[in-house]
Each structure stands twice: as C-alpha cells, then as structure tokens.
Amino acid sequence: LSIVNLIPLALGSHMNSVVSYCGLGYEAYNAIHRWMGRVAVVEGVIHVIFAVVSQKPNLNSLTQVAALVVSGNYLRNGQAASAMTTILITSFSIVRHHFYEIFLNIHRVLAVIIVTAIWIHVPGKLFSIPTIYLLITCSVWASLHLLRTCQMLYRNLRNWKYSCTVSIETLPDAYQVHAKISRPWKYRAGQYVYLRVPRASYSAIFQSHPYMVAWWYPYDKDQDVVVFIIQRRKGFTQSLATRSNSSQSTKLSAIVEGPYGKEIHLDEYGTVLLFATGIGIAGQLPYVKQLRH
C-alpha cells in the first residue's frame, strides 16, 4: 500500500496541468499531497517494524539494508533514523514556512533515496506487482516533468528566440513585477503562474514560485505584459530587492510557467463585495477588471 501511494505522490507538490485540469486549487492539492505522503510514511514504517520484530534484519543483505534506509527503525537504539521518517519530520509546517528552500531540496533528495532503496529492497522480477508500481511512479514523474518542460519552452520561446523578460519596480512593502510574455494566453481572473528569475541570485535558477496575475496590458501586436504584486519576504524576494535597487537595468530574463488556477464566476450576481487585506488585493484586481467590462 505504501508503494501504491507513491504513484499520486509522483505528481509532486508543484501545481501542474494535470491537477489544474481536474479543478483542484493550489492549497487543496498541496494538502492532498501532504496527507498522502504521511499515509505512505506510516504504512512503510509499520511494515518495517513488523518485519524487524518478526525477523532480525541481516545487515549483510542489500535488500534488507535498503528497507532500513527507506523506513528503518533501529529498535536496538530506540530510534527511528530513516529517509521516510526524516521526510515526515522536515515536512512539518514550522520547517516548511521558515526554511522553505532548504526543505524543498532535502525533500527532493530524500524522495530519490526512498524510491531507489525501495527498488533495491523489493524482491521479484522486473514485472512483478511491487516493481510495476515503482515503474508507474517513475513514469508518471518523468512524463509530468517532460510535459512541464514542453509547456515552459512553448510559453517562453517565440520563433526560436528567448524573449520573456521582467522589470522590477519597488513599492513601499512589495514589488511590482512586469513580465513581458512571449506567447500571450486568454487572461482570466483567478489565474497564477510560476515565476523564475535566474539572474536574481546564484540559487534563483532552482527557485520557482507561484504568483497571482494582478493585471495585464498589451505591449505590441505579438506580446503582452503581465503584472505581479509580490510581497517582500525572505529568500527569493530579497534577491529582487537587490536587483531593483541596483544602478543597473532592472530588466532581467525570466521563465514563466502556467497559467494555472480556476476562475470563480461572479458575473451572474447582481452585487459583488470583494474583501482583501495586504497583498491579497493582487488576486482581487482581475475580478474587478472583468466585472467592469
């Protein structure tokens, strides 16, 4: 059962076209991903506990060592030190919120360790039942990343030239980012995209964060500009501060992935009241624009 739960987990916590097509929101999908991961961890740990209690593990056996790596419980030391328990501990909200980039990289590394160790541990031939589940998991992960790569290439390249750029303007407590889109889409309220600015910092090439589309306007006959209002925080947004305050040009190359998100249809109501606090106004502005028109 633990291996079966790895199949939907292979979709990752990053929003993608498959999940967006199913109509799931960002928060709902992340909650499903976290709880399915917790269930898989608990099932794996229980499996190893019963296996260790019923039979003392042979540390000279590669498959049994792999089992201990995945969710090994070293009962003789009274501790649980394994990839699964570590991935569970590091996924607590206090770790995710304060050390998100560190958490994300550790999460990815541990996920690879878990799948590799399970592959070594699972007995049987290539097309036995447990191995087939792992093959499906790896196929889902590879197919999804291939789809995302194709979508990013389509969205950011035009006539085989890379032309997606952003300009950053500093606001009192936020940043106004204008992204020139190589291939515009049909803009609707409730949409958001993942934004990556490789030159913002040394590690920015590995960072992609979701931001609501605040508004948009035409740039020329082939390109539009999409505007994001980004709240000042640590990490990626700190690097934006460095770029926006420098004497050099604030125009930087960027990678846009999306759009994702589902619109709430408000045009059928006679009166609409919108409430927002702080940076939340960025998600309300597109609804105001659509209702006015």
Side-chain angles (χ1 to χ4, degrees):
L1 289 177
S2 181
I3 299 177
V4 172
N5 284 328
L6 293 180
I7 297 175
L9 288 175
L11 293 173
S13 60
H14 192 292
M15 179 57 73
N16 53 75
S17 298
V18 177
V19 178
S20 184
Y21 181 78
C22 294
L24 290 175
Y26 179 78
E27 293 295 336
Y29 173 61
N30 271 269
I32 293 173
H33 180 82
R34 288 194 297 269
W35 279 105
M36 291 198 70
R38 290 164 185 167
V39 170
V41 169
V42 171
E43 290 172 341
V45 171
I46 291 175
H47 168 75
V48 173
I49 288 176
F50 279 102
V52 172
V53 170
S54 61
Q55 182 180 1
K56 185 178 180 180
N58 180 12
L59 298 181
N60 294 321
S61 172
L62 184 60
T63 59
Q64 294 193 31
V65 171
L68 293 174
V69 170
V70 173
S71 53
N73 291 266
Y74 297 94
L75 300 180
R76 61 185 179 184
N77 295 329
Q79 299 177 354
S82 66
M84 274 194 168
T85 52
T86 303
I87 208 171
L88 177 62
I89 294 172
T90 55
S91 64
F92 291 155
S93 60
I94 188 172
V95 178
R96 294 199 320 271
H97 294 161
H98 290 84
F99 310 98
Y100 178 76
E101 297 301 334
I102 297 175
F103 151 76
L104 187 61
N105 292 324
I106 292 176
H107 195 82
R108 290 169 176 169
V109 172
L110 290 174
V112 173
I113 293 174
I114 288 172
V115 172
T116 303
I118 291 177
W119 181 275
I120 296 173
H121 169 67
V122 170
K125 299 180 180 179
L126 181 62
F127 295 104
S128 61
I129 292 298
T131 310
I132 288 178
Y133 294 153
L134 281 179
L135 289 174
I136 294 175
T137 299
C138 295
S139 299
V140 169
W141 182 89
S143 301
L144 180 64
H145 280 71
L146 178 61
L147 175 62
R148 285 179 52 197
T149 301
C150 293
Q151 288 177 328
M152 285 189 288
L153 290 174
Y154 173 80
R155 186 64 64 197
N156 295 277
L157 294 179
R158 190 178 184 89
N159 297 326
W160 299 104
K161 293 182 179 180
Y162 187 84
S163 59
C164 184
T165 59
V166 296
S167 60
I168 306 169
E169 300 177 10
T170 304
L171 302 177
D173 58 351
Y175 304 101
Q176 192 177 108
V177 178
H178 295 245
K180 187 168 67 173
I181 305 299
S182 301
R183 292 182 183 270
W185 63 83
K186 184 178 180 180
Y187 306 103
R188 301 298 298 176
Q191 289 181 337
Y192 62 91
V193 302
Y194 281 86
L195 181 65
R196 190 191 308 265
V197 186
R199 291 177 55 194
S201 66
Y202 293 110
S203 61
I205 183 64
F206 305 106
Q207 300 182 31
S208 178
H209 299 276
Y211 297 108
M212 297 293 299
V213 175
W215 68 88
W216 52 88
Y217 57 90
Y219 179 78
D220 55 32
K221 63 178 182 179
D222 295 324
Q223 291 183 311
D224 290 346
V225 173
V226 176
V227 182
F228 312 99
I229 301 177
I230 301 176
Q231 186 177 10
R232 291 190 180 187
R233 292 181 178 273
K234 297 180 181 179
F236 173 71
T237 53
Q238 282 186 333
S239 60
L240 293 181
T242 303
R243 288 295 180 178
S244 61
N245 293 330
S246 63
S247 59
Q248 301 177 354
S249 174
T250 57
K251 288 188 177 181
L252 302 171
S253 60
I255 301 174
V256 171
E257 179 188 350
Y260 301 118
K262 188 177 181 180
E263 177 187 2
I264 301 175
H265 297 282
L266 301 177
D267 49 356
E268 60 187 35
Y269 298 97
T271 303
V272 177
L273 296 177
L274 300 175
F275 297 88
T277 59
I279 202 67
I281 190 65
Q284 305 286 32
L285 292 175
Y287 286 102
V288 175
K289 183 176 182 178
Q290 287 187 189
L291 290 172
R292 288 185 59 190
H293 291 82

